[in-house]
Amino acid sequence: MSTVLKKPPLYDASAFVGMRKAGKLAAQVLHYITPFVTEGTSTDELNTLCHDFIVDHGAVPAPLHYRGFPKSVCTSINQVVCHGIPGPKRLKKGDILNIDVTVIVDGWHGDTSTMFAIGPIAPQHQKLMDITKQALDMAIALVRPGCFLGDIGHAIQSLVEPKGYSVVRDFCGHGIGRVFHDDALEVLHYGKPGTGLCLQQGHFFTIEPMINMGRPEVRILKDGWTAETRDGKRSAQYEHTVGVTATGCEIFTRLED
Ligand code: MF3
Ligand code: CO
Ligand code: CO
């Protein structure tokens, strides 16, 4: 509803400069935390390391106290789809973990997440992560002025569903910029080509598909945040923040090698 009533903002060159800085730091957090993501480490320890890195770089972890969220990053293990709350739970061999980082730099938000495999994991779980990453990369490749958001959702859905995976419906990508979640722009990870918003230069948003091995339904745990698959099967997610340019898009949260 909001998508048809409110027009998402079109940002100028100075906003791209701000988002580039925020996106880069968010990506650096994921790079920094990687060697610590090992068997036996608790998600709370990972949260503290990320928090300190963000604050030491003069930035603010956006999730902390956002709508009552108690931690600085989200950590979602195995059947947890998103919004897992870091805690005493320790990583074990065979787990897959998503860490979702959002930082605020000079008022601009950079939002990105990636998957980690702990020790050797089952081939089907590696495949789940691979297809989810492929879905995000393919979606990003479509972004340019004139592309419809429905084209993006459709592409993700048509990649994963024929292979037996499902697309989570309860959460979507979002407009982003000076605010964390701008509901004037909603990026559904399923849809019909040629529908929804037609992208223009200066639109800023995230793409963050959540792909399940089983059914798409989720439930929220009593903590009010943790979203799990109802069937208990595993889920994967990758996320980038992008800005539409004259000819395509800039991925604010991708680190140059
Ligand atoms: N980073 C998540 C997203 O991609 C949102 C987390 S909200 C929080 O939109 F409160 F759980 F942190
Ligand atoms: Co997001
Ligand atoms: Co995120």
Side-chain angles (χ1 to χ4, degrees):
M1 189 60 106
S2 54
T3 45
V4 292
L5 294 177
K6 277 195 278 171
K7 269 199 191 159
L10 297 173
Y11 291 96
D12 64 8
S14 71
F16 274 80
V17 174
M19 289 297 282
R20 215 165 274 149
K21 248 180 112 179
K24 183 175 180 181
L25 181 65
Q28 285 171 331
V29 176
L30 290 178
H31 183 257
Y32 161 76
I33 201 64
T34 299
F36 298 103
V37 183
T38 54
E39 189 189 2
T41 307
S42 74
T43 50
D44 205 28
E45 287 161 357
L46 297 175
N47 177 76
T48 300
L49 288 163
C50 290
H51 176 95
D52 292 347
F53 184 91
I54 292 164
V55 169
D56 290 347
H57 285 76
V60 174
L64 187 61
H65 306 140
Y66 176 79
R67 299 188 181 172
F69 192 80
K71 298 285 176 171
S72 299
V73 297
C74 297
T75 51
S76 302
I77 303 175
N78 297 341
Q79 78 287 354
V80 178
V81 170
C82 64
H83 302 167
I85 302 174
K89 191 175 176 135
R90 294 187 181 281
L91 299 172
K92 55 185 199 312
K93 269 200 198 79
D95 283 346
I96 60 170
L97 169 72
N98 174 280
I99 302 181
D100 192 335
V101 171
T102 311
V103 299
I104 312 172
V105 178
D106 302 332
W108 296 101
H109 291 68
D111 187 6
T112 183
S113 82
T114 195
M115 297 296 298
F116 299 89
I118 290 76
I121 59 167
Q124 81 235 45
H125 298 145
Q126 185 63 52
K127 272 190 172 171
L128 169 70
M129 297 198 298
D130 292 347
I131 195 85
T132 307
K133 178 69 166 51
Q134 206 185 318
L136 174 59
D137 290 344
M138 203 185 62
I140 290 172
L142 295 175
V143 176
R144 57 170 178 76
C147 171
F148 289 85
L149 285 179
D151 302 347
I152 291 173
H154 179 76
I156 293 169
Q157 190 175 17
S158 339
L159 174 73
V160 308
E161 285 183 349
K163 297 185 167 69
Y165 301 98
S166 65
V167 177
V168 170
R169 306 297 207 259
D170 300 58
F171 302 97
C172 54
H174 47 93
I176 188 167
R178 292 237 175 239
V179 293
F180 192 170
H181 295 106
D182 181 355
D183 62 11
L185 196 162
E186 270 187 357
V187 183
L188 305 181
H189 303 109
Y190 58 93
K192 290 193 177 66
T195 65
L197 182 74
C198 182
L199 292 175
Q200 293 176 61
Q201 182 173 350
H203 280 137
F204 290 172
F205 55 94
T206 71
I207 308 178
E208 47 182 300
M210 286 140 277
I211 304 301
N212 294 354
M213 292 193 66
R215 294 195 47 83
E217 292 81 12
V218 310
R219 76 165 138 253
I220 309 295
L221 301 192
K222 288 200 197 81
D223 61 26
W225 282 101
T226 310
E228 284 193 352
T229 58
R230 282 195 173 262
D231 63 13
K233 295 187 179 169
R234 290 189 183 193
S235 183
Q237 179 179 31
Y238 290 83
E239 175 176 26
H240 275 305
T241 299
V242 303
V244 183
T245 63
T247 55
C249 76
E250 178 169 345
I251 306 168
F252 296 125
T253 46
R254 180 169 287 172
L255 273 192
E256 304 125 57
D257 336 89

